[in-house]
Amino acid sequence: MTVDASVRGGRANAGRARYRRILLFAARTFVQIWWFELLLPRIGLAAMSERTRAARMQGIARRFHALAVELGGLMIKVGQFLSARMDVLPPEITAELAGLQDEVPAVPFAEIRALAEHELGMPLDRAYSWVDEQPLAAASLGQAHRAMLTPADAADTGFVDVVIKIQRPGIDEIIDVDLAALRRVGGWLKRVRFVAERADAPALVEEFARTSLEEVDYQHEAANAGRFAENFAGDARVAAPAVAWERSTRRVLTLEDVTAIKVNDVDALRAAGIDPAEVADAFAGVMLDQLFTHNFFHADPHPGNVFVTPLHDPDGPEWRFTFIDFGMMGEVPAEARAGLRSLVIAIASRDGAALVRAVKEIGVLLPSADTAELERAVTALFSRFGGMGFAQLRDVDPREFEDFAVEFGDMIRSLPVQLPEGLLMLFRAVSITSGLCSGIDPEFNIWEPVEPYATQLLREEGGNVVKDFAQQALATAGVALRLPGRIDAVISRIEQGNLTFDTSRIERRLSRLERLVRCGVSAVLFAGLLIGGALLLPVAVPLAIVMMSVSVLPLLHAVFSGWGPRGR
């Protein structure tokens, strides 16, 4: 047997063992939940189930945490996703998984060198002037090393210092095994009625598979970095590293070294003369821009992927955000964009009823859900805590928070919640952003960056309302303008028939109906132009004045078109 065949055989055996371990953990967990949550309550032992639930959930989370750290691969990504699902998972699980980091032991540099040289088709000392053998970071899918480009490549790219991302050897096989196991678990979950009512588990696994395969394709990441940089080309607040395309492949990615101050390094920010509070507010605003302006957002904006770069341009900003690691990017699904806009507006205006409607529109709640209690609780939440910053929230009596948490947790878990496809990364990005901003600035108030953004959205919504209103008015006017011809046709057919009767009264009444319709159309046009002008007045004064002035014409027509001889 050759060495390569022996290696392949060893990897196959390791893959089978890994597959069995993942399925065994899932099966054991399902049996435990079935026993305590379904069987015991049916035989009168519900109190025992309730009493031991917190400890059991925490034990499950700890075992998964240990399994994910040991196995690496996609298991760490799964744990990070589960840690953000506070809406459907008990807090004992989410809290335990919250600290799960994508940090694993580094691969020996000899193995990394072999893979990189195979991908680049040349020795590393020809591809780069210098490569640091000590990894800058080691993650479950790959690891990064600092390096310097050759003088020729530096002249072409415009930079010298780079970071090389290199895939972990054998990661493709590990991902295949993990996805096969997750697909099997998704099939099991599909048969669990409670889960099936809330999410299509196999579809979620497939979406997770798609994003994972994209993340491990470094050419896809390079394209994402280019698109992100293009979106913010005119925004001095945001930057992304340039790509050295000649030294990049599917499994090796060479990027400009943009290392600077970590976004959550408060001490370093202050030492550089940068106010952490400004950083927190600006970061929230930049993430909102990605979501609503560009519809293309960084789905993993944790502190290791965002730097604050001090600038020395007297005519520009004092600093900017520099994002890295574009393997996990997201786009807001078209069917959810309107609902998300409505959600931001509802949060900014502290409107509980509007928030519940927006959540339904996004698709998180099924249309059949009875949301009266949820609306009442959200309204009470806005009334009590709306407008408070995180520092103020810390001063609230913990027992009051606990009461709200228990009420909301029980209510959400009792509602027919479903997890829409396409929003996994959005939920992750929002969760990370919220935690990051509050960590940078304890006084951070989420309302401050949301309110101006919601005002902008309201203006845009107002313009859309005017447009829709005008389209409807024009459609009504079209019907009215076609009405006389249709009336003449009907009268002609009646006159040509066998029945003989006096149509003069019909003609008079139809004439009156025609005048009423025209008056109604004029009134609609008057109202549309007047309201549209009023809505546009704060943002487009000349257009608003023209619309309000022109509205006088349909008003005069509506008032005076009824004058003249009237039939009886």
Side-chain angles (χ1 to χ4, degrees), residues 231-246:
N231 285 345
F232 285 96
D235 192 336
R237 302 173 302 165
V238 183
V243 179
W245 287 99
E246 292 296 321

Side-chain angles (χ1 to χ4, degrees), residues 231-452:
N231 285 345
F232 285 96
D235 192 336
R237 302 173 302 165
V238 183
V243 179
W245 287 99
E246 292 296 321
R247 296 291 175 260
S248 299
T249 70
R250 178 184 173 276
R251 298 198 289 176
V252 174
L253 177 61
T254 304
L255 296 165
E256 177 187 9
D257 188 354
V258 293
T259 306
I261 303 171
K262 275 191 174 183
V263 69
N264 67 336
D265 190 341
V266 175
D267 292 337
L269 290 173
R270 290 199 177 103
I274 300 171
D275 184 359
E278 292 183 9
V279 171
D281 287 340
F283 183 70
V286 166
M287 291 304 296
L288 285 171
D289 278 344
Q290 293 178 45
L291 288 171
F292 293 102
T293 302
H294 305 298
N295 189 36
F296 184 67
F297 60 91
H298 199 299
D300 195 23
H302 65 73
N305 286 340
V306 186
F307 296 111
V308 174
T309 305
L311 302 175
H312 306 289
D313 182 1
D315 299 325
E318 297 178 357
W319 51 270
R320 71 184 178 199
F321 293 110
T322 305
F323 286 75
I324 64 171
D325 194 353
F326 298 93
M328 191 181 296
M329 302 295 290
E331 296 187 58
V332 180
E335 62 274 11
R337 291 174 198 165
L340 287 171
R341 293 164 68 93
S342 300
L343 182 65
V344 171
I345 294 170
I347 291 173
S349 58
R350 281 71 147 178
D351 188 337
L355 184 143
V356 172
R357 288 195 301 272
V359 169
K360 276 189 174 183
E361 186 177 354
I362 294 170
V364 176
L365 287 175
L366 293 176
S368 60
D370 182 3
T371 57
E373 283 299 309
L374 177 62
E375 183 178 326
R376 181 198 61 78
V378 170
T379 302
L381 185 69
F382 281 147
S383 177
R384 177 64 182 91
F385 303 114
M388 286 188 177
F390 284 93
Q392 294 171 294
L393 292 174
R394 286 207 310 263
D395 296 333
V396 176
D397 187 344
R399 290 172 297 183
E400 186 177 0
F401 260 143
E402 185 177 350
D403 291 342
F404 265 95
V406 170
E407 179 181 3
F408 264 79
D410 293 342
M411 183 185 308
I412 293 297
R413 282 186 281 273
S414 69
L415 288 170
V417 176
Q418 65 179 0
L419 189 60
E421 297 176 39
L423 293 182
L424 284 174
M425 289 188 287
L426 173 62
F427 294 154
R428 174 181 174 83
V430 170
S431 175
I432 294 175
T433 300
S434 175
L436 182 59
C437 290
S438 60
I440 297 172
D441 177 23
E443 304 287 337
F444 175 73
N445 188 334
I446 189 61
W447 312 103
E448 291 180 4
V450 167
E451 283 179 344

